[in-house]
C-alpha cells in the first residue's frame, strides 16, 4: 500500500501536464515575439501558418471521423 500512496493520481498528472503546456505556450510566445521584433518573421506570416496548421488538423480529424 505505501507504494500506491507515492504514485501521482490522475488529477496530479493532469495538473503537471497543464503546467508543462503552459510553460511551453509561454516559451513559444516569447520566441515568436523575439522573431517578430527582430524582423525575422512578420506577424502575418505567423498567423497564416497557424491557420494552415489548424486547417490541416481539422482535415485530419474529418478524415478520421469519416474512416470510422
Amino acid at each position: 500500500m505505501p507504494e500506491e500512496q507515492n504514485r501521482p493520481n490522475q488529477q496530479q498528472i493532469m495538473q503537471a501536464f497543464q503546467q508543462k503546456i503552459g510553460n511551453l505556450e509561454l516559451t513559444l510566445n516569447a520566441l515568436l515575439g523575439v522573431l517578430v521584433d527582430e524582423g525575422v518573421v512578420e506577424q502575418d506570416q505567423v498567423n497564416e501558418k497557424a491557420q494552415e496548421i489548424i486547417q490541416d488538423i481539422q482535415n485530419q480529424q474529418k478524415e478520421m471521423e469519416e474512416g470510422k
Side-chain angles (χ1 to χ4, degrees):
M1 289 278 185
E3 185 178 309
E4 289 179 12
Q5 291 174 350
N6 291 334
R7 266 193 243 159
N9 63 31
Q10 189 173 358
Q11 183 179 358
Q12 291 170 322
I13 292 170
M14 286 302 295
Q15 287 174 341
F17 277 130
Q18 288 172 340
Q19 183 176 4
K20 297 250 184 225
I21 290 169
N23 291 345
L24 181 58
E25 183 179 14
L26 178 62
T27 301
L28 285 173
N29 283 325
L31 176 60
L32 285 172
V34 169
L35 292 174
V36 169
D37 289 347
E38 294 294 321
V40 176
V41 296
E42 298 205 10
Q43 189 65 48
D44 290 343
Q45 289 175 298
V46 173
N47 294 341
E48 288 172 15
K49 189 62 175 178
Q51 189 60 44
E52 287 175 24
I53 292 168
I54 290 168
Q55 188 63 49
D56 288 344
I57 291 169
Q58 289 173 342
N59 290 342
Q60 289 175 359
Q61 288 174 339
K62 191 175 184 180
E63 288 173 10
M64 288 176 58
E65 288 172 4
E66 290 172 356
K68 286 184 179 177

